[in-house]
Amino acid sequence: VRVVVADDAALLREGLARLLLEAGFEVAGLAADADALLDLVEQARPDVAIVDIRMPPTHNDEGLRAAKLIRERWPDVGILVLSQHVHAGYAIELLSAGTEGVGYLLKERVSDLAELASSVQRVGAGGSVLDPTVVTQLVGRRREADDPVKRLTEREREVLALMAEGRSNKAIAERLFVSEYTVEKHVGNIFTTLRLPVSPDDHRRVLAVVAFLNAQ
Amino acid sequence: VGISTAETRPATTAAARGVTVWQIATAVAGLLAGAGVAWILSRHGSNSFGVPKLPFAVPVVVLVGWSFIAGGLLYWRSRPENHLWAVLIFQGFAWFGSMLNNSPNPVLFTIGQLVYPWQYASGLYLILSFPSGRLRGGLARAMVAIAIFLVTVGNLFWLLFADSHHSMCRTCPANLLEVTRDDAVVVGVFYVFRISGIVIALTSIGLLALRWRRASRAQRHAVMPVAVAGVVAFCALTVSYGARLAGASSPNALDAFAFYAAAAVPVAVLAVLIQRRLARGAVAGLVVELGEPGPGADPRAALSRALGDPSLALGYWFAAESRYVDRNGRPVELPEAGGGRRSTVVERDGQPVAVLIHDAALEHNAGLVESVSAAAGLALQNERLQAELRARLVELQASRARLVEATDAERRRIERDLHDGTQQRLVSIAMSLGLAEAKLPADPEHAKPIVAETRTALAVALAELRDLTQGIYPTILSERGLSAALDELCSRSALTAHLRLFLDGRLPIPVETAAYYVVSEALTNAAKHSRAAEVRVAASCSNGILTVEVADDGVGGAGNGRGSGLRGLADRVEALDGRLTVSSPPGRGTTLRAEFPCG
């Protein structure tokens, strides 16, 4: 899998490149700001672009905007946005531009090499990755008494959160030490309870779940 | 109550000046001249030179002369620096002098002939220069100069060739100045006089019309009677001269009209003077009005009515900032010199109280402005205290807004510092640890240097964090007090800093903190901008005043624009009732000095 990295802090750019190499990825190039990133993507056509959300010149959400541009121009390039703070709003914005091959992670997740590698892999393969912190934020919101989320069982809520993180049924099953069949049953219940249209596609259901959680 | 104006006009009042011998002599001479002329006219009748045969012509002649002289005397007493008074008195005597040509005595007759046209030149000067007494514009000056030439040199030349019986009147006595009779020259010169007269009259009407269009309301108010009388007199002169040029044999009605039109000019001048005196009477009403201020009463309205200037603006002296503010405490700009506005400062006990910003036309009625200012002094003083309070409030609100802004900016800075510094270092450390962890099982030899590197990075991160927290609040200040904190600041300074301390014990924490930031900011600025070699820092507390001073030997020229750093410091100092001053003459170093009450 070919990867490019965009971060204005050299320390993190280089460190990330080292980690990715260690994890067996091919690093096709490094960029220090959004414009350089766009040029790099055009030339290198990587499988995944790892983008810091805050970059020069305004240090606000350049990374996010660059990600959306990449989405439009090169839809087959996966995007993993890294940020030091998480905002559910940013995640939704990103997912709304297309859920395939998108990820939104807290920067500190990169310390777990296995987790990083798996996220890059999933984004590269067209999957979605959403940081557990964002999901916790979304699921853990104060809810009204008649909120359908309140009618979910404890286990169903765990499954919901893992779905929102972009994990497949198989991955959820592994995580919860249950069979894939059991997960499918939970997923069915969740979709019925939340009155969401059943989506056969692992990827697409992320947006449905996240949008639902965010809308409440 | 004292008055001074933006222009350095002496602040004398009419009451302060006594009646001089010269003024009494002028008055007596004027009375005698009028009586003499009345005697000549009643004794010998008019030979139709200047006085048409009309009812009341004789009393009108005398009264007109006296009004000119009386107007001049009034002006002399109230505005001696305005030489209109001299013009008016001259005009009066010229008027009486012109009547001498009704005398059967050849000497008096000839003097009358010589003097008779002078009044035209002075009348022209009077109308064109009213009310300032100064001619404005080259055209006005040129016309007056031509008129003076014609009535003196031109008239004398004419008299050299004019035979009294042929060119003046059949019953007239001899013209003693006649050298040789030359009727052609006499007629030619007459044409020149008449045509010049018409041209000057018409040009003057145009000039007056132009000024009227450009004048402000107050200016129009001030000149209207004289301008109207002037235009009527010029019209009459034009018609009467035009008729004679056209060959009409001097119709009596036309002469009468011209005569009374000329007579109206001094009456108009007197009317303006009386109008001003009456306006001063409004001052009494002003005192009553200002004496009982109702809720929300605005002295501006009362002053504006008393002065007849609707455009009047008031500024109150805000001593703390040495500037004027309006009653809502907002800054008031003084008019620039040479514009259509003037400012008059009202003082009490030598201190400015307020400034009246009024139409320049009021300058010609300084007496009114003076008495109005004097009457309003106390009320303005009360209002000034209110305005000062509001100005302080405005200042306070602004400084509060700046403090909030500064707090936000500070938070943004801290967030940025943490984000770009500490957080990134920690993420990088986490990454290194992740890398080491991945390598550890299979390749422990390569993992070891990564762990060592991580430890170094952690040490750097800790040092940065320490600097950052120190910058957020200097702990040494709360732990050890100002002396220790200043000592540390100076030892950390990029420039050589000499510290002199005259402090014992602790001061209130807000004062210590503000003093610390003054020194900290001053040292930073000196290191950044001053190109100084060394800095002297002093802090002393005596008589309940803490003074901190930071002086460098650099290039100076700082702080004039009051950068946001200095503004923030000043806010901090002023919030504690302190005062921050910056003295930074170019080339002579910068001294930042803060004083706080620390009792």
Side-chain angles (χ1 to χ4, degrees):
Chain A
V1 182
R2 303 177 74 232
V3 184
V4 297
V5 177
D7 195 314
D8 59 318
L11 200 63
L12 298 193
R13 208 161 55 222
E14 307 290 347
L16 206 48
R18 229 164 119 193
L19 276 178
L20 290 167
L21 281 174
E22 180 67 25
F25 293 100
E26 181 193 340
V27 178
L30 304 176
D33 58 51
D35 290 340
L37 169 66
L38 292 175
D39 290 345
L40 185 61
V41 170
E42 179 157 36
Q43 284 163 19
R45 290 304 173 88
D47 298 304
V48 179
I50 302 180
V51 183
D52 179 19
I53 204 163
R54 223 159 92 157
M55 284 192 293
T58 66
H59 293 279
N60 283 325
D61 59 349
E62 281 80 3
L64 197 62
R65 278 187 272 148
K68 284 197 234 165
L69 273 175
I70 294 172
R71 205 72 295 220
E72 275 170 34
R73 293 191 201 162
W74 304 283
D76 51 331
V77 175
I79 294 165
L80 180 58
V81 173
L82 297 182
S83 170
Q84 280 183 356
H85 313 277
V86 287
H87 301 290
Y90 284 176
I92 310 274
E93 235 178 89
L94 197 60
L95 289 169
S96 305
T99 51
E100 279 177 45
V102 195
Y104 180 64
L105 279 183
L106 260 184
K107 236 178 204 176
E108 62 214 51
R109 304 285 171 218
V110 299
S111 64
D112 187 336
L113 194 57
E115 185 70 38
L116 174 70
S118 126
S119 299
V120 176
Q121 289 288 2
R122 268 156 63 199
V123 170
S128 326
V129 174
L130 199 53
D131 197 277
T133 321
V134 181
V135 175
T136 312
Q137 248 183 35
L138 286 171
V139 178
R141 286 189 181 178
R142 269 182 56 142
R143 297 190 176 268
E144 305 287 323
D146 62 343
D147 192 306
V149 175
K150 285 222 157 182
R151 295 204 295 274
L152 297 176
T153 64
E154 190 70 22
R155 182 38 67 102
E156 282 167 350
R157 253 180 267 176
E158 274 180 81
V159 174
L160 178 73
L162 289 167
M163 268 199 289
E165 282 177 28
R167 291 176 199 278
S168 63
N169 286 356
K170 186 163 164 282
I172 297 172
E174 279 168 17
R175 182 63 78 93
L176 297 179
F177 304 107
V178 294
S179 72
E180 229 180 304
Y181 171 73
T182 315
V183 173
E184 273 167 33
K185 232 178 62 188
H186 285 312
V187 170
N189 275 344
I190 293 166
F191 273 69
T192 314
T193 312
L194 304 186
R195 289 199 211 94
L196 288 173
V198 180
S199 167
D201 189 338
D202 280 354
H203 307 329
R204 255 166 230 175
R205 70 183 186 187
V206 177
L207 181 61
V209 169
V210 169
F212 175 84
L213 289 172
N214 189 53
Q216 296 298 299
Chain B
V1 179
I3 308 294
S4 71
T5 57
E7 299 181 338
T8 52
R9 171 147 33 90
T12 42
T13 60
R17 293 187 287 265
V19 181
T20 66
V21 176
W22 283 109
Q23 284 162 351
I24 293 168
T26 306
V28 170
L31 284 172
L32 289 177
V37 165
W39 183 74
I40 291 173
L41 288 179
S42 56
R43 178 109 188 265
H44 305 290
S46 159
N47 59 17
S48 93
F49 251 112
V51 188
K53 291 187 173 53
L54 289 165
F56 310 115
V58 176
V60 166
V61 163
V62 175
L63 283 177
V64 163
W66 280 349
S67 346
F68 275 122
I69 294 167
L73 284 167
L74 274 178
Y75 251 104
W76 196 352
R77 300 240 305 113
S78 64
R79 298 291 308 278
E81 73 281 2
N82 180 338
H83 40 263
L84 257 191
W85 65 264
V87 179
L88 280 165
I89 289 170
F90 178 85
Q91 173 87 356
F93 283 105
W95 173 268
F96 284 139
S98 72
M99 295 303 158
L100 289 178
N101 60 17
N102 289 302
S103 163
N105 179 316
V107 177
L108 289 182
F109 172 78
T110 307
I111 292 176
Q113 284 297 330
L114 200 60
V115 167
Y116 150 73
W118 289 2
Q119 54 174 312
Y120 290 107
S122 61
L124 182 70
Y125 186 100
L126 176 68
I127 292 166
L128 291 184
S129 72
F130 193 83
S132 68
R134 283 187 303 270
L135 287 171
R136 278 175 299 156
L139 189 59
R141 279 192 217 107
M143 284 195 300
V144 171
I146 292 169
I148 290 173
F149 176 80
L150 289 176
V151 302
T152 52
V153 179
N155 188 43
L156 181 65
F157 180 75
W158 182 77
L159 285 172
L160 297 181
F161 302 99
D163 176 74
S164 74
H165 300 295
H166 184 262
S167 304
M168 296 170 194
C169 69
R170 269 177 286 112
T171 55
C172 283
N175 168 16
L176 298 181
L177 287 170
E178 182 183 342
V179 177
T180 170
R181 179 177 162 181
D182 187 332
D183 290 349
V185 171
V186 165
V187 170
V189 171
F190 240 95
Y191 270 102
V192 171
F193 283 175
R194 297 252 151 80
I195 290 169
S196 312
I198 290 174
V199 168
I200 289 175
L202 291 178
T203 313
S204 301
I205 290 173
L207 210 59
L208 287 174
L210 198 69
R211 284 185 192 166
W212 186 264
R213 267 191 54 193
R214 290 184 187 157
S216 66
R217 229 182 106 178
Q219 280 169 331
R220 287 180 183 182
H221 192 68
V223 302
M224 177 154 76
V226 176
V228 169
V231 168
V232 171
F234 286 136
C235 285
L237 188 107
T238 307
V239 172
S240 136
Y241 277 15
R244 283 181 200 226
L245 278 177
S249 62
S250 171
N252 206 28
L254 213 54
D255 279 359
F257 178 56
F259 172 73
Y260 284 117
V265 173
V267 175
V269 171
L270 271 180
V272 170
L273 288 175
I274 288 164
Q275 187 187 341
R276 288 183 188 177
R277 293 273 154 162
L278 285 179
R280 279 177 225 182
V283 174
L286 179 73
V287 174
V288 173
E289 205 170 338
L290 291 176
E292 302 165 10
D298 185 357
R300 198 206 74 84
L303 285 169
S304 162
R305 270 195 300 280
L307 288 172
D309 180 2
S311 71
L312 178 83
L314 262 179
Y316 300 97
W317 182 243
F318 181 25
E321 303 258 317
S322 297
R323 60 184 166 87
Y324 291 95
V325 294
D326 68 11
R327 68 195 307 248
N328 296 318
R330 318 253 165 227
V332 167
E333 293 300 322
L334 293 181
E336 284 174 24
R341 314 284 294 159
R342 294 283 185 280
S343 54
T344 303
V345 176
V346 181
E347 295 180 341
R348 274 176 79 86
D349 308 323
Q351 291 298 309
V353 172
V355 64
L356 309 180
I357 298 166
H358 50 78
D359 198 291
L362 282 174
E363 200 182 11
H364 305 303
N365 199 357
L368 175 62
V369 179
E370 280 165 18
S371 25
V372 163
S373 305
L378 185 61
L380 288 178
Q381 173 72 319
N382 291 338
E383 190 67 18
R384 186 188 76 79
L385 296 174
Q386 299 274 328
E388 192 169 58
L389 219 58
R390 288 185 199 108
R392 279 181 190 279
L393 206 63
V394 168
E395 188 49 45
L396 204 64
Q397 277 164 346
S399 98
R400 205 165 55 177
R402 283 196 301 268
L403 280 179
V404 170
E405 246 170 62
T407 310
D408 285 350
E410 186 66 4
R411 285 181 171 207
R412 269 199 302 278
R413 188 187 66 78
I414 293 170
E415 192 271 349
R416 178 67 53 84
D417 284 354
L418 283 172
H419 176 273
D420 293 351
T422 313
Q423 270 184 328
Q424 282 190 353
R425 292 214 178 269
L426 291 178
V427 168
S428 152
I429 287 162
M431 285 196 302
S432 300
L433 281 177
L435 195 63
E437 185 189 37
K439 281 193 188 285
L440 208 51
D443 191 3
E445 270 314 298
H446 278 98
K448 213 177 152 190
I450 296 174
V451 173
E453 189 188 308
T454 311
R455 199 163 54 90
T456 316
L458 198 54
V460 173
L462 282 171
E464 271 185 15
L465 195 59
R466 200 167 46 234
D467 282 352
L468 187 64
T469 51
Q470 187 65 20
I472 294 170
Y473 189 84
T475 45
I476 188 166
L477 195 57
S478 49
E479 287 163 6
R480 293 286 158 80
L482 186 58
S483 303
L486 291 184
D487 198 42
E488 190 184 282
L489 258 187
C490 289
S491 61
R492 279 213 319 255
S493 164
L495 297 167
T496 313
H498 305 285
L499 178 65
R500 287 189 306 152
L501 288 171
F502 304 96
L503 300 171
D504 34 51
R506 298 293 304 263
L507 297 166
I509 291 201
V511 173
E512 288 199 330
T513 310
Y516 175 88
Y517 279 113
V518 168
V519 175
S520 167
E521 178 87 16
L523 286 177
T524 309
N525 285 346
K528 265 194 213 160
H529 311 297
S530 78
R531 284 185 259 153
E534 50 179 39
V535 192
R536 279 174 291 109
V537 180
S540 64
C541 188
S542 63
N543 302 328
I545 299 285
L546 168 68
T547 309
V548 286
E549 195 177 277
V550 181
D552 67 46
D553 58 353
V555 292
N560 295 328
R562 278 223 151 174
S564 68
L566 280 182
R567 186 65 257 184
L569 270 191
D571 283 343
R572 203 186 257 275
V573 174
E574 281 158 19
L576 298 168
D577 268 340
R579 223 180 144 82
L580 183 79
T581 48
V582 182
S583 142
S584 189
R588 311 237 307 273
T590 300
T591 300
L592 199 70
R593 183 188 172 92
E595 290 170 324
F596 308 84
C598 61

